[in-house]
Amino acid sequence: MRSKLGSAVLVSATFLSVTAPAGTAVATAQMASAPIVHATHGKGLIATSELEKLLPATVYFSGQSAPLQIRNSAAYSNTAGRITWAGLVDTSGYSTGVREKYQFYFVTEVPLNAGTLRIAPGIYGGGFLADNTFVLLDVSGTEIGRTAVEVDTALRRPRPLQMVEGTGMLRLYLGRQYVALSSR
């Protein structure tokens, strides 16, 4: 059930809990309803002030959870309200091999193209490597693929991680390096 409340959409979700006494084949079900609130955003980059409400404080990747750097995160909402976001992660607890590839958490609710990569909606780890490639990893740390990155020498004030809207695409930057993301 959905109802609109100001700038949020309220979704009523039903959770099912099943219990069965030991040694019996009969189960009883208990139902509980809890509201889940999803913020609605217009098309475009999501304001930094909204990121604290939208993004989690910690993220799970390759068997560990780590703090997300909200100040070094960015998000974009398309016309349908579907969000793509990325945020730098404190990877100090990971091995050197993982830290070389896993620099940020990447979540997309829409299928994307990134150079030669086809990205399905999902949760990923990502990084920009020394050989000027963008690497995408699934949540277990397994490499999905790589594609070339570009360097934007004209970028005035590079930030550790940012998104910049372009014509028909979105640029995901780490410093001056970027990969262009486009809808499929």
Side-chain angles (χ1 to χ4, degrees):
M1 182 171 101
R2 294 186 132 185
S3 61
K4 198 148 187 149
L5 296 174
S7 67
V9 175
L10 179 64
V11 179
S12 177
T14 303
F15 300 96
L16 177 64
S17 171
V18 178
T19 58
T24 67
V26 179
T28 59
Q30 298 174 340
M31 302 290 280
S33 289
I36 299 172
V37 178
H38 296 278
T40 56
H41 303 280
K43 179 184 182 291
L45 294 171
I46 297 174
T48 305
S49 60
E50 293 293 313
L51 293 181
E52 282 189 15
K53 299 174 203 168
L54 178 68
L55 305 182
T58 59
V59 293
Y60 175 85
F61 181 81
S62 192
Q64 296 183 48
S65 61
L68 183 68
Q69 297 177 19
I70 302 293
R71 70 187 179 286
N72 292 315
S73 298
Y76 176 83
S77 179
N78 70 8
T79 53
R82 300 290 183 192
I83 296 173
T84 296
W85 66 268
L88 288 181
V89 176
D90 177 2
T91 59
S92 60
Y94 290 89
S95 70
T96 303
V98 172
R99 282 196 315 257
E100 287 173 356
K101 292 181 181 181
Y102 175 50
Q103 298 154 1
F104 56 89
Y105 211 61
F106 182 79
V107 178
T108 181
E109 295 179 334
V110 296
L112 296 171
N113 292 325
T116 58
L117 286 177
R118 304 298 173 254
I119 305 171
I123 299 170
Y124 304 95
F128 286 37
L129 306 179
D131 66 354
N132 289 327
T133 57
F134 165 70
V135 63
L136 194 66
L137 312 159
D138 68 18
V139 76
S140 74
T142 303
E143 187 173 316
I144 293 173
R146 296 176 183 218
T147 193
V149 298
E150 301 291 326
V151 177
D152 187 346
T153 57
L155 185 63
R156 287 181 169 213
R157 294 184 182 183
R159 294 189 0 225
L161 184 142
Q162 66 182 338
M163 289 181 174
V164 175
E165 257 184 293
T167 306
M169 57 93 180
L170 181 68
R171 288 182 176 182
L172 172 62
Y173 282 87
L174 272 185
R176 293 188 185 281
Q177 291 182 312
Y178 73 90
V179 63
L181 306 171
S182 60
S183 298
R184 288 199 267 161

